[in-house]
Amino acid sequence: MDISFQLVFNEYFSRQYYGMENTNIIKAKDEPLESVRVSASETKVTITGLGPGTTYVFKVHAENALGRSGPSQDLTITTEEEAPANAPQDIRVIPLSSSTVKVTWKGPSPTALGYLLGFYVGYRDLSSNDPYVYKTVDISKQERLNEALISNLRRNTKYAVTVQGYNSKGAGPASKEVIVQTLQHDPPKSPVLKVIKTSEFSIELQWTVSEISPITG
């Protein structure tokens, strides 16, 4: 969707036309400014084709047969944001235990959608009619982006998982569901090792392990 806003110029004496320049502040400094020309009979202009949640700097020159004026003061304007238009991609869900799964994804491009504040990670038990439960992932508080752990799940149970981005204007579309099943047993905990007896030529060791999960070796 094109973003637009209107600028109103002050009246200038003996003008023939205005030259107007604008630049997106995230551009490299050596990139040329974009410009539009406005008839001398006009004192305002609407700029279209801008990006949502993006900051632009504008300046205006007046021109006549004798030459061109210096630029006006810079006018810095940030366009309104819109909710993300695209869903996160490449959703992957890995069971870590009988009660926890790890969710990873690739987020939509922030340059096309404005700034993302975070993601909603939804999950639901496929063996019931319960609605989705959502976990909020705040980007500003995450050490690892595009990753979340879902805990307190039921053992050996299938879940549907989906992810959607959000910003100040609301949530975007949800990704396709990914089905995952929690493990029936948990990975074994680390054994506790201790020394039983030592001699000049040998050491006798003993360890204890958790009996909750089966041990195969």
Side-chain angles (χ1 to χ4, degrees):
M1 181 179 72
D2 283 347
I3 305 297
S4 66
F5 54 81
Q6 191 175 78
L7 299 177
V8 179
F9 306 142
N10 292 327
E11 188 75 14
Y12 281 86
F13 177 74
S14 186
R15 70 186 187 280
Q16 288 190 350
Y17 60 83
Y18 288 114
M20 180 165 182
E21 297 177 342
N22 79 86
T23 178
N24 184 336
I25 64 171
I26 66 173
K27 282 186 176 181
K29 291 184 178 180
D30 57 351
E31 289 190 33
L33 300 181
E34 299 175 23
S35 62
V36 295
R37 290 188 179 276
V38 181
S39 168
S41 62
E42 299 291 336
T43 57
K44 61 184 179 181
V45 65
T46 299
I47 309 298
T48 61
L50 306 179
T54 305
T55 299
Y56 295 85
V57 178
F58 294 87
K59 60 183 66 178
V60 179
H61 302 265
E63 296 186 13
N64 61 19
L66 298 179
R68 184 179 188 182
S69 74
S72 67
Q73 77 279 12
D74 287 350
L75 181 63
T76 302
I77 304 175
T78 301
T79 56
E80 291 286 333
E81 284 189 300
E82 63 179 2
N86 300 321
Q89 301 295 318
D90 197 18
I91 313 300
R92 299 186 181 186
V93 189
I94 303 172
L96 300 182
S97 69
S98 63
S99 61
T100 303
V101 299
K102 177 181 177 181
V103 186
T104 60
W105 61 89
K106 292 181 180 178
S109 170
T111 57
L113 304 169
Y115 294 103
L116 287 174
L117 296 178
F119 297 90
Y120 297 131
V121 180
Y123 59 97
R124 65 184 181 92
D125 184 345
L126 291 180
S127 65
S128 71
N129 294 322
D130 293 339
Y132 270 100
V133 176
Y134 287 92
K135 177 176 182 177
T136 301
V137 179
D138 186 339
I139 290 178
S140 66
K141 299 178 181 179
Q142 287 292 109
E143 293 184 2
R144 294 186 177 183
L145 297 179
N146 301 350
E147 180 179 309
L149 295 179
I150 303 175
S151 303
N152 300 318
L153 304 178
R154 296 175 57 192
R155 181 186 302 272
N156 196 30
T157 302
K158 289 184 178 180
Y159 287 85
V161 179
T162 186
V163 183
Q164 59 190 136
Y166 73 89
N167 59 20
S168 62
K169 292 297 183 180
S175 67
K176 293 182 179 180
E177 287 186 341
V178 175
I179 308 302
V180 65
Q181 183 169 337
T182 54
L183 301 179
Q184 183 174 2
H185 301 289
D186 291 320
K189 295 182 179 180
S190 299
V192 178
L193 182 64
K194 62 181 179 179
V195 177
I196 301 299
K197 184 173 61 177
T198 64
S199 69
E200 295 89 340
F201 305 105
S202 66
I203 298 176
E204 183 178 349
L205 303 175
Q206 184 182 50
W207 58 88
T208 57
V209 296
S210 170
E211 297 181 357
I212 298 178
S213 299
I215 305 298
T216 59

